[in-house]
Amino acid sequence: MSEQSPASRRTLLKVFGAGGGAVAASALLAACNGVQNKTGTGGAGAFPATGAWRFVFINHVTTNSFFVPTKNGMADAAKLLGLPEPQWTGSAEGNVAEMASAFSTAINGNADGIAIALTDSNAFVDPTKRALAKGIPVVAYNATAPGNYPLTYVGQDLYQSGYLMGRRIAADVTSGTILVGISQPGGNNVQPRLDGIVAALKQAAPAVTVLPINTGAEQANELNAITAAYDGHPDAKGIYAVDAGSTASIAQLIATRNLQGKVHAGGYDTLTDTLKGVGSGALDFTIDQSAYLQGFLTVLYLYLFRLSGTLVSPPATDTGLTFVTKDNVGPYLSADSRFEGGPKADLVPMPASIPLPAATTLTR
């Protein structure tokens, strides 16, 4: 990927504003007070009857704990709309052929809508065309790719998030080597982040050398890969990652080796070990991309697209980028909520005040 400034790259249509998808979803679903559609005999709230539409989510790491809140979100949206819980299928180890096979199975089974993580730029082009030709809407979630044909993308602006992470790293590390764990090098779900980090550091801290570490798609093996990389480079000034499992592994490594304060660290997502690492100071930060919304809004968009006969075209939605640090990790730890993959389904109390978000900017 050629080096570009964030302003010159693709900007997602932020119809909802940064991080505002939940607010928009609440407005769209205000009428959904009575759910009667599970058997296809009535509509949800004021919506007309639809039948029990069946949506299929195709994923690249089906057992990875990062996607627990995504599955919670898709199940919650389906329940709210009176639909069957969507099917969760694909590959446990990032196998593109297995994902493509699951895609074909969904098409041949006449799914009512398909959500696909476009981790590969080529494998899903023809299946998407076949699905659309059969009247099956397709939405990309979590990862997107150029040259593909989903109706829209629901997920983080991955390159931009990596670029901003790189700028943050540059504030702490100005020279030397940093290790960056990546679960699937070249994958559209993580590679753009690494590219963004590299581009930002070339501009802000050119004396920093980025050493990518292939940690693999199997979450259980990522700690071994991160540990081996650090053992081989004990002089590294920082240990970072662009995926959930690698980030959690970094937190474990720092705690086990008592490296807190000796090396900078950070990464992505809100796994338990990661949040504990941020809370203890082992990690400088982690980045929350609202995995829950990637499931919830995708179901909502597929539903409204079908309900309206294509008239409600789903907008591209950036599910956000929140730097979680020691200053704001408290609610994540105390809530332990299913919105972030925790076990609690309790109502999460609102804080006494809401931090001022970034000012709205418009591109012209």
Side-chain angles (χ1 to χ4, degrees):
M1 182 178 292
S2 60
E3 181 180 337
Q4 297 175 310
S5 68
S8 69
R9 295 184 61 84
R10 171 185 55 82
T11 300
L12 292 177
L13 177 61
K14 297 189 179 180
V15 172
F16 297 152
V23 175
S26 297
L28 286 168
L29 293 172
C32 299
N33 296 319
V35 177
Q36 306 170 3
N37 192 37
K38 291 184 178 179
T39 60
T41 57
F47 293 134
T50 63
W53 286 336
R54 182 175 59 88
F55 298 149
V56 177
F57 276 64
I58 299 165
N59 190 259
H60 48 293
V61 281
T62 52
T63 59
N64 193 294
S65 52
F66 164 78
F67 284 105
V68 170
T70 304
K71 290 189 285 185
N72 290 342
M74 73 179 195
D76 287 351
K79 185 174 182 180
L80 190 63
L81 297 168
L83 302 177
E85 183 171 329
Q87 181 185 2
W88 184 258
T89 185
S91 173
E93 302 176 5
N95 187 305
V96 173
E98 291 178 356
M99 295 175 67
S101 176
F103 202 156
S104 293
T105 297
I107 296 169
N108 295 337
N110 296 314
D112 295 297
I114 297 172
I116 173 74
L118 292 176
T119 56
D120 184 89
S121 296
N122 302 309
F124 309 116
V125 174
D126 288 340
T128 298
K129 290 179 178 179
R130 287 198 294 118
L132 296 176
K134 288 188 68 173
I136 302 173
V138 178
V139 169
Y141 75 101
N142 187 254
T144 190
N148 280 252
Y149 299 92
L151 298 174
T152 194
Y153 168 59
V154 181
Q156 187 179 72
D157 186 331
L158 301 171
Y159 180 90
Q160 174 74 352
S161 76
Y163 186 90
L164 294 176
M165 179 174 170
R167 300 289 296 191
R168 192 177 187 97
I169 292 170
D172 296 323
V173 182
T174 57
S175 64
T177 297
I178 64 170
L179 310 179
V180 181
I182 178 169
S183 58
Q184 293 175 274
N188 292 330
N189 55 316
V190 285
Q191 186 66 44
R193 290 172 173 164
L194 179 58
D195 294 341
I197 290 172
V198 170
L201 289 173
K202 281 183 178 179
Q203 295 175 358
V208 174
T209 299
V210 177
L211 182 60
I213 305 300
N214 183 354
T215 58
E218 293 187 57
Q219 192 173 1
N221 294 330
E222 290 182 294
L223 177 58
N224 292 334
I226 288 291
T227 301
Y230 180 74
D231 286 342
H233 300 84
D235 59 342
K237 299 294 183 64
I239 315 174
Y240 300 94
V242 293
D243 64 275
S246 297
T247 302
S249 296
I250 292 169
Q252 294 174 52
L253 171 64
I254 290 176
T256 301
R257 295 288 184 88
N258 194 27
L259 297 175
Q260 185 171 327
K262 300 176 184 178
V263 62
H264 286 286
Y268 279 85
D269 305 320
T270 58
L271 300 188
T272 300
D273 285 325
T274 297
L275 293 175
K276 288 180 178 178
V278 173
S280 71
L283 299 180
D284 299 330
F285 64 85
T286 191
I287 295 174
D288 182 8
Q289 60 174 308
S290 298
Y292 180 91
L293 288 180
Q294 294 177 20
F296 187 93
L297 291 178
T298 299
V299 169
L300 178 61
Y301 289 170
L302 289 170
Y303 176 85
L304 290 175
F305 187 77
R306 291 198 67 93
L307 189 75
S308 68
T310 76
L311 297 179
V312 178
S313 184
T317 304
D318 185 342
T319 56
L321 183 156
T322 300
F323 278 97
V324 181
T325 67
K326 199 167 185 177
D327 292 335
N328 64 350
V329 74
Y332 287 85
L333 291 169
S334 60
D336 204 12
S337 170
R338 68 194 308 276
F339 293 112
E340 295 293 340
K344 296 181 181 178
D346 305 335
L347 182 69
V348 180
M350 284 290 291
S353 63
I354 301 173
L356 193 67
T360 301
T361 60
L362 299 176
T363 57
R364 299 184 183 278

